[in-house]
Amino acid sequence: MRKEILINSSVGETRIAILEDGRLMELFTERPEAERMVGDIYLGTVVNVVKGMRAAFVNIGHEQDAFLHFSDIGDTLKEYSAFLDLENASENGHTNRRDFHQRPVPKEGQEILVQIIKEPISTKGCRITTELSIPGRYCVLVPNSEMVGVSKKIQSVRERKRLQRLARTMRPKGFGLIVRTVAAGKDDDSLHADVDNLIKVWRKTEERIKREKPPSLVYKDLGMASSVIRDLFTPDIDRVVVDDRKLYQQIVNYLKEVTSQLSNKVELYRGKKPLFDAYGIEQEIERSLVRKIWTKSGGYVLFDHTEALTAIDVNSGKFMGRGHHDDNALKINLEAAHEIARQLRLRDIGGIIVVDFIDMTDPRCKRRLQDEFRRELRKDRAQSNISPITEFGLIEMTRERVRPSLLFSYSEPCPNCDGTGRVISKATVLTRIERWLMRYKYVGSERSLRLKVHPEVSQFLNTGFLSRIRRLMWKYWMKIELMPDEAFRLDEFKFFSKRNGHEILN
């Protein structure tokens, strides 16, 4: 299987696409106003403890208080000052795992260090834990712990034992250490250098903890592009293609420090067409935002998001089978199972998911469908649990959620229907405008244009000292005059020639 990572950087967002055999499987999006939060460490204050929910709410400086479930509290709930004397944190070198119900309960007003493990979504704040960790390329440093672990994805028993022995010898006192999958086959010096770097990062975090008062951010994890390179750029990736020279240089410099042999796989895209257009990714992204997805044989799958769960419905559509009902249903269901597993990864759908497959009476057909669906889900890095097919033909499952799904990242609640429908967000309109300019630059001759948009979009483009529209004009060397128009939809825009007033069509 050929694996590729494509990185597109623009004024409005950075997008990372992961391709397998040329097909888009995963998409990550980060925008300046909504940067990646998972992994960030905060010094916070407990503002409310709800024992009935077995949870506490912690003020970390966000609009909504963070959610700390008691199951995410470590074996000992220590105030932030305990993390500043880690050299003496361990007495006997063993961690005593305690029963979930015996874990300590935080107190209102208590100052604690917490780390974000799930980003906020809708009306829910981010989910946090008191068990901190600092990830590196090969290892993860765990402050105030004595644990030693090796990734279960390393298949070789001999290699796992070697890494476990090495981790025990190089584990700093007062810290736990987890060896990551990419460490397989790496020499001792590389792992030692990674641990030394993590210790330096933690020492800088300590200094911030001493200076800051809650609520405050004391450790910021890498940005999305850097974290994807750190976590996902493994030897089985055939190449990484970047369309921004500055970002390309940053990635190459980082790889030369940690794993120089992979830096040769990074390419700077020099094509005239936009990167995602050249690889057909834009089309796939548009498909991932629609409700209905067609399968090869004419069946289709519907995706419906609700507050409680995601409902997925499989229908026969245009399929006209000539065989037995169960044979026809199995064919459609198998195609749908492959597409659903792919769409779950691409759309990054998490939480409770219910899939309504076409009913089948033969138990063998049901078993085959379930086995095939499980096999496809194993390709996903996110953990999932799947139940047997019910008598109504339903499969109930859960999938790990770390960040909002693609639908919530690319759209916002409609102001006209109070959230029952969705429209493309203003940030996405900005990226579409930029992609229009990228295409026009190579085919158009005029450099003075008028842009007609909804007034809210016009305000969004004009915000700030160096506004978004100014950055576009500087980047593409064009003069653009904004024309707000109440008659336009939020996701609608049109360019006109300033010379003759005619609309410029793609």
Side-chain angles (χ1 to χ4, degrees), residues 124 304-311 350-354 397:
K124 298 177 182 177
D304 288 303
H305 295 263
T306 71
E307 188 73 21
L309 53 82
T310 299
I352 299 172
I353 301 162
V354 178
M397 62 174 289

Side-chain angles (χ1 to χ4, degrees), residues 107-124:
K107 299 174 183 177
E108 290 184 10
Q110 183 177 357
E111 296 178 359
I112 56 174
L113 275 174
V114 293
Q115 187 168 33
I116 295 178
I117 53 176
K118 287 184 180 179
E119 294 191 3
I121 183 172
S122 186
T123 58
K124 298 177 182 177

Side-chain angles (χ1 to χ4, degrees), residues 132-148:
L132 312 183
S133 61
I134 309 287
R137 172 67 178 171
Y138 302 121
C139 300
V140 178
L141 191 70
V142 186
N144 202 26
S145 173
E146 296 82 39
M147 70 176 298
V148 171

Side-chain angles (χ1 to χ4, degrees), residues 12 19 24 59 74 84 94 110 138 141 188 210 218 236 286 327 330 362 368 377 387 452 454 479 491:
L19 277 62
L24 179 63
N59 177 17
L84 302 181
H94 297 285
Q110 183 177 357
Y138 302 121
L141 191 70
D188 297 8
K210 292 174 183 176
V218 294
D236 65 331
E286 294 295 331
D327 295 334
L330 180 62
D362 190 340
R368 185 179 170 191
L377 290 173
S387 69
K452 189 176 285 190
H454 189 276
K479 186 177 181 181
D491 62 344

Side-chain angles (χ1 to χ4, degrees), residues 167-423:
R168 288 197 187 100
T169 59
M170 66 181 183
R171 179 182 70 84
K173 188 176 180 182
F175 294 88
L177 202 62
I178 301 170
V179 182
R180 309 185 71 175
T181 309
V182 290
K186 300 300 176 185
D187 57 66
D188 297 8
D189 291 342
S190 298
L191 270 65
H192 274 288
D194 195 42
V195 173
D196 290 342
N197 183 59
L198 290 173
I199 290 293
K200 290 177 183 176
V201 171
W202 177 253
R203 295 307 175 202
K204 289 180 182 177
T205 305
E206 280 184 326
E207 293 302 316
R208 293 203 65 180
I209 296 171
K210 292 174 183 176
R211 294 194 311 266
E212 301 290 341
K213 291 183 179 180
S216 59
L217 174 69
V218 294
Y219 167 78
K220 177 72 181 172
D221 198 10
L222 296 177
M224 186 191 65
S226 301
S227 66
V228 166
I229 294 299
R230 180 191 66 197
D231 300 338
L232 302 183
F233 190 14
T234 52
D236 65 331
I237 299 293
D238 293 281
R239 65 172 182 158
V240 174
V241 184
V242 190
D243 67 357
D244 181 81
R245 187 176 294 276
K246 184 179 177 182
L247 185 57
Y248 163 79
Q249 203 58 54
Q250 288 175 356
I251 292 171
V252 170
N253 291 340
Y254 168 74
L255 290 172
K256 284 180 178 177
E257 290 180 10
V258 297
T259 174
S260 56
Q261 64 270 28
L262 290 181
S263 61
N264 296 328
K265 293 185 176 183
V266 184
E267 301 175 14
L268 177 63
Y269 180 72
R270 301 176 187 275
K272 291 186 177 181
K273 287 181 72 176
L275 175 62
F276 276 24
D277 280 355
Y279 286 84
I281 296 173
E282 294 294 357
Q283 258 185 326
E284 287 293 336
I285 294 173
E286 294 295 331
R287 284 186 73 220
S288 69
L289 297 174
V290 300
R291 183 169 173 253
K292 181 187 288 187
I293 298 290
W294 290 93
T295 59
K296 292 180 181 178
S297 297
Y300 63 88
V301 184
L302 296 175
F303 292 82
D304 288 303
H305 295 263
T306 71
E307 188 73 21
L309 53 82
T310 299
I312 302 175
D313 186 29
V314 179
N315 291 283
S316 56
K318 302 173 184 176
F319 178 75
M320 300 292 290
R322 297 182 179 179
H324 188 269
H325 168 76
D326 273 13
D327 295 334
N328 296 335
L330 180 62
K331 182 176 182 180
I332 300 169
N333 283 339
L334 289 176
E335 286 184 1
H338 283 259
E339 188 60 36
I340 291 168
R342 174 173 172 261
Q343 290 293 329
L344 290 179
R345 291 175 65 187
L346 178 54
R347 300 177 186 228
D348 205 4
I349 298 173
I352 299 172
I353 301 162
V354 178
V355 186
D356 182 12
F357 285 104
I358 298 173
D359 290 338
M360 298 181 293
T361 55
D362 190 340
R364 290 175 299 178
C365 293
K366 291 183 178 181
R367 280 197 300 272
R368 185 179 170 191
L369 172 61
Q370 186 165 314
D371 292 343
E372 190 70 20
F373 194 34
R374 283 184 192 275
R375 194 176 298 115
E376 287 299 306
L377 290 173
R378 287 195 196 105
K379 300 175 183 178
D380 192 354
R381 288 179 299 105
Q383 293 183 353
S384 58
N385 295 306
I386 177 173
S387 69
I389 299 179
T390 68
E391 60 179 313
F392 302 112
L394 303 176
I395 282 186
E396 299 163 6
M397 62 174 289
T398 60
R399 184 178 181 272
E400 179 186 19
R401 181 185 74 80
V402 175
R403 56 187 177 273
S405 70
L406 200 66
L407 179 68
F408 290 94
S409 298
Y410 271 70
S411 61
E412 58 187 19
C414 174
N416 297 321
C417 61
D418 198 23
T420 57
R422 303 194 69 85
V423 296

